[in-house]
Amino acid sequence: MARPNDEVEDLFQEYADLLSITGGDAFKVRSYEKAARAIGGHHEDVSTLDAKALRAIPGVGKSIADKVAEYFATGSVRAVEEARAKIPDGVRRLVAIPTLGPKKAAALYHDLGISSVDELVAAIHGERLRGLKGFGLRTEENILRGVELLRQSGGRVLLDAALAVADEIVAVLSAVPGCERCEHAGSLRRFRETIGDVDVLAAAHDSAPLMRAFRELPLVAEVIVAGEKKTSIRTAEGLQVDLRVVPPSAWGAALQYFTGSQAHNVRTRVLAVHAGLKLSEYGLFDAASGELIVSETEDEVYDRLGLPWIPPTLREDRGEIEAAQRGELPELVTETDLLGDLHTHTDLTDGVASLEDMVRAAAARGYAYYAITDHAPDMAMQRMSDEKILAQRERVRKLDGTVAGMRLLHGTELNIGPDGEVDWPESFLRGFDLCVASIHSHFTQDRATITRRLVRAAENPCVHVIGHPTTRLIGRRGPVDVDLAEVFRACARTGTALEINSAPDRLDLRDEDILLAKRFGVRFAINSDAHAVHHLGFVRYGAGTAQRGWLTKDDVINTWPLERLREFLGSAQAQQ
C-alpha cells in the first residue's frame, strides 16, 4: 500500500497541475508543489498528525493542513474535486505523457481538440502542431519519446511500490495459523526495476485459511480468481497479485520455479533432462520412474542438478549457469555491506529534512560514515552560494563523530554543464571531502556532445563519483544518448566511481550498464540520493540492482572501511 504521505503528495501535485492548467495563481501553484514535496518526505505518518503537527511541516499552512485532514476524514478534498471537474478528461490523460506539461496539454485540447494519446500521435505525424505557439520540431520529438515511454511502461509499477505491497502481504500471511513459509517470488524476487504482477508463494498443508486471509486483505479491490491452489487479486492501484499455496514438501521446487526467469528455468530444465530427471514446480523427479528426488529446498534442487544455489538476482540466463558450473559465482554485495551513503541532500537545497535529522537517521542505520552532498550553485533554483556551503561545512565538522561515532564527509553534488564544466573552480573544490558530479539539464544534446561532457567530468581532478550517469527517470524520461563504453573507459582510467543511484525511479546505472562497466574495471558507489529521511532506505533497491550487475563488496567503494575510502578519494585526485 502507498504511504499516506505519498498519497497526499500525489494529490497536492495533481492539484498544482490542475491549477496550472486553469491559469491559477503561480504562487499558489508553487505553494502546493512545495507542500507536496515536504509532506512526501516527512518522516512521520501525516495521517496520524493533528493540525498543529501538520502546520509544523515546512510549507504547510492552515489551508493545506485542513485539506490533509479533510482527505483522511473523507477520502477526498473538495477543492481538488472542483478543480478536476473544470478540466476535461482528455487533458488529464494527455498530462500523463512524460515531457508534456499541463499547459501544453491544455493548449492541445482547446486549440486542436486532441483528447487522447493516439489522437496526439496522429496530429504530430499529420503536422497539425506546426502552427501552434510553443510547439516546434524538438517539442514534437520530445512528445513522441514521452509517448513511447508511456507505452513501454504498460501498467508496470516501480520496484519500491511492488515491494511495499508484497512485504505487507507476506507479513500478514506469515502470521496465519498453518502457514509454514511465505515469500514473494517472480521478477520481484529478482529485483527487476519494474514489475508487472506480484507473485507470492506460501507453504501450508491446508490452503483455505491462507486464501481467505488473502482475499480479505484491506488492499484488495477485486478478486480476479479464487481457487484452492491459486488466487489472484487486484489492488486499488491496479496491481495484480497472485498467491500460490503449495505443500511444504514442494516448497523449494516451487520457489525455484516461480522465481524464474523463464530463460533461467529453461536452462535448469534442460540440465534436468540431461541427467535423466524432470523438473517442475512440484519437485525434481526421476524421468523414468516418476519417483520424487528432491523438492523441499532450493539448495537441494540446484545441488541435484550439479549446481550451487544461485542468487535470485542472477537468474536471468546471463552466464550464471556456466559460472555456477565452474564454481565462479560472485559473492554478491548486499545492503548490509554498505558502511555509508555518499550522495544525500538536506533542506539547504532541495531536501526536506535538516542536516541534523539526516545525520541522526543515517547513524540509526548503523553507518560508519555519511556524506552530505547538497547541490552546487549552477542549479540556480537551489540558491546555493559559497557562504552557505562553507557555513554548512562548519556545522558538519562540529557534528562529525558526535552521533553514534559516525564520521561525516562534507561533499557536494556538482552540476555537469553543457560543455562538461562543473560549478566551482578547482581551488574551491579541493576543500570538499567528496564531489559527486551529475547531469541535470540539456538532456537532448547529441551523442558525441553528451559523451564528451561526461568524459570531461570524469577527467576533472576533483570529481570522485559520476551521479545517476544516464539521467533516466523510469517511465518519465529516457536515458541520454551517450557512448557508455567511452565513459566507462574514462572512469576506469581516471579512478572515478560510477553511481548506482538507488532512487526507485532512477536505478541508474541499470543492471546491464553495470555489467558492462565492471568489465572495464570501474568502481561503483551505491547511493540513496536521499532528499528526506525515509529515502535513506532506497539503498535496498540499489543493492539489488548492483547484484543484478554481478557486483561484489570490492567493486563498491562505500562498502570499504573509511581509511580505504579516503585513500580512494585521495588517489582519484592524484591520478588526474
Side-chain angles (χ1 to χ4, degrees):
M1 294 288 285
R3 294 171 63 245
N5 300 38
D6 295 338
E7 293 178 18
V8 176
E9 179 181 14
D10 291 343
L11 184 71
F12 285 170
Q13 183 57 58
E14 180 190 1
Y15 188 45
D17 288 343
L18 294 172
L19 291 173
S20 180
I21 291 172
T22 55
D25 178 68
F27 176 79
K28 188 174 183 180
V29 171
R30 287 194 297 272
S31 295
Y32 275 93
E33 289 176 338
K34 182 178 179 180
R37 289 193 300 271
I39 290 170
H42 193 62
H43 62 282
E44 295 178 278
D45 181 344
V46 293
S47 68
T48 66
L49 302 183
D50 60 20
K52 181 178 180 181
L54 285 171
R55 290 196 297 272
I57 300 173
V60 176
K62 182 180 184 304
S63 176
I64 291 176
D66 288 345
K67 288 181 175 65
V68 175
E70 180 186 354
Y71 175 72
F72 288 115
T74 68
S76 64
V77 174
R78 186 177 66 178
V80 178
E81 295 300 325
E82 290 174 350
R84 285 172 176 165
K86 296 177 182 177
I87 310 298
D89 288 342
V91 176
R92 291 164 60 191
R93 285 195 293 272
L94 294 177
V95 171
I97 300 172
T99 75
L100 185 66
K103 290 185 177 179
K104 278 189 166 58
L108 289 168
Y109 181 83
H110 292 300
D111 294 351
L112 299 178
I114 295 173
S115 60
S116 74
V117 174
D118 289 342
E119 289 175 0
L120 176 55
V121 171
I124 291 174
H125 291 315
E127 301 185 356
R128 293 177 57 208
L129 274 58
R130 297 292 167 87
L132 210 57
K133 184 179 179 181
F135 289 82
L137 288 175
R138 181 60 61 87
T139 304
E140 292 181 359
E141 292 171 1
N142 290 339
I143 290 173
L144 289 175
R145 278 196 292 270
V147 170
E148 182 180 359
L149 282 170
L150 183 67
R151 288 172 172 170
Q152 284 175 352
S153 67
R156 298 178 69 85
V157 301
L158 295 177
L159 177 61
D160 65 323
L163 268 173
V165 171
D167 287 346
E168 179 180 347
I169 292 171
V170 168
V172 172
L173 296 185
S174 295
V176 173
C179 178
E180 296 193 12
R181 302 286 297 270
C182 188
E183 189 171 337
H184 60 261
S187 58
L188 186 56
R189 190 172 177 229
R190 303 197 312 276
F191 267 75
R192 288 284 301 273
E193 63 192 35
T194 61
I195 308 299
D197 302 329
V198 171
D199 294 299
V200 176
L201 188 68
H205 292 288
D206 181 6
S207 67
L210 282 166
M211 295 303 188
R212 182 168 56 251
F214 181 55
R215 295 193 301 270
E216 294 175 355
L217 285 167
L219 58 75
V220 175
E222 174 190 1
V223 177
I224 301 170
V225 61
E228 182 180 347
K229 296 180 179 179
K230 177 184 175 183
T231 292
S232 299
I233 62 94
R234 185 170 286 111
T235 69
E237 290 76 23
L239 180 63
Q240 181 173 324
V241 185
D242 300 327
L243 170 65
R244 293 176 175 85
V245 180
V246 300
S249 60
W251 172 259
L255 187 59
Q256 192 279 331
Y257 181 87
F258 288 115
T259 295
S261 67
Q262 182 179 357
H264 177 86
N265 284 354
V266 168
R267 294 294 305 280
T268 55
R269 288 199 294 271
V270 168
L271 290 177
V273 170
H274 289 165
L277 304 171
K278 179 182 178 182
L279 179 61
S280 74
E281 65 266 42
Y282 299 107
L284 191 60
F285 300 87
D286 183 278
S289 67
E291 178 187 356
L292 176 64
I293 307 297
V294 291
S295 64
E296 290 190 12
T297 70
E298 281 192 319
D299 297 72
E300 290 176 338
V301 173
Y302 280 110
D303 182 66
R304 187 61 182 80
L305 294 173
L307 303 171
W309 180 80
I310 298 177
T313 45
L314 296 187
R315 299 181 196 175
E316 297 287 354
D317 191 26
R318 294 197 286 208
E320 71 277 7
I321 298 290
E322 293 79 4
Q325 290 171 327
R326 296 191 303 267
E328 296 177 358
L329 283 176
E331 186 174 341
L332 298 175
V333 65
T334 67
E335 180 184 356
T336 57
D337 290 327
L338 298 177
L339 299 183
D341 195 331
L342 303 181
H343 181 179
T344 68
H345 298 273
T346 75
D347 58 3
L348 183 62
T349 54
D350 58 346
V352 299
S354 69
L355 169 65
E356 291 75 13
D357 284 346
M358 294 298 287
V359 168
R360 283 192 292 268
R365 294 182 61 82
Y367 285 151
Y369 49 82
Y370 177 72
I372 298 92
T373 57
D374 275 312
H375 288 288
D378 278 3
M379 290 190 69
M381 74 287 292
Q382 307 304 341
R383 300 181 179 179
M384 180 55 77
S385 67
D386 295 8
E387 293 75 22
K388 284 182 179 180
I389 201 71
L390 291 175
Q392 184 188 65
R393 184 174 298 165
E394 289 303 308
R395 293 170 63 198
V396 169
R397 299 302 185 225
K398 289 179 181 179
L399 277 173
D400 183 25
T402 65
V403 184
M406 185 177 70
R407 303 305 305 273
L408 299 181
L409 302 174
H410 187 238
T412 183
E413 184 182 14
L414 303 166
N415 184 53
I416 302 174
D419 58 357
E421 289 287 345
V422 296
D423 307 64
W424 279 298
E426 182 177 334
S427 58
F428 193 86
L429 291 177
R430 288 198 178 275
F432 291 99
D433 299 313
L434 169 76
C435 292
V436 178
S438 312
I439 289 178
H440 296 102
S441 64
H442 298 83
F443 304 115
T444 58
Q445 287 179 319
D446 63 71
R447 183 180 183 85
T449 303
I450 290 279
T451 302
R452 282 197 303 272
R453 203 172 156 187
L454 285 166
V455 168
R456 190 172 182 189
E459 291 173 343
N460 186 302
C462 297
V463 170
H464 302 100
V465 180
I466 300 295
H468 44 76
T470 75
T471 80
R472 72 167 183 172
L473 292 172
I474 300 173
R476 290 188 289 147
R477 185 174 70 220
V480 291
D481 186 10
V482 60
D483 183 345
L484 284 175
E486 189 63 27
V487 174
F488 299 160
R489 192 174 291 110
C491 287
R493 182 181 74 251
T494 60
T496 308
L498 287 165
E499 181 177 69
I500 300 171
N501 189 294
S502 301
D505 62 345
R506 285 192 185 274
L507 295 180
D508 181 12
L509 289 172
R510 59 179 188 150
D511 54 358
E512 295 96 333
D513 301 332
I514 296 167
L515 281 163
L516 176 60
K518 181 178 169 71
R519 297 191 189 107
F520 285 87
V522 176
R523 300 296 194 182
F524 302 84
I526 300 173
N527 295 326
S528 68
D529 193 3
H531 286 67
V533 165
H534 75 276
H535 292 172
L536 293 171
F538 285 169
V539 290
R540 177 187 188 186
Y541 316 121
T545 302
Q547 289 186 357
R548 290 178 58 80
W550 292 55
L551 296 191
T552 68
K553 283 175 59 174
D554 194 54
D555 296 314
V556 180
I557 64 172
N558 51 323
T559 69
W560 299 350
L562 181 58
E563 183 178 356
R564 183 183 177 190
L565 175 64
R566 286 193 185 277
E567 289 176 358
F568 173 83
L569 297 177
S571 65
Q573 291 187 348
Q575 284 184 50
Q576 306 287 331

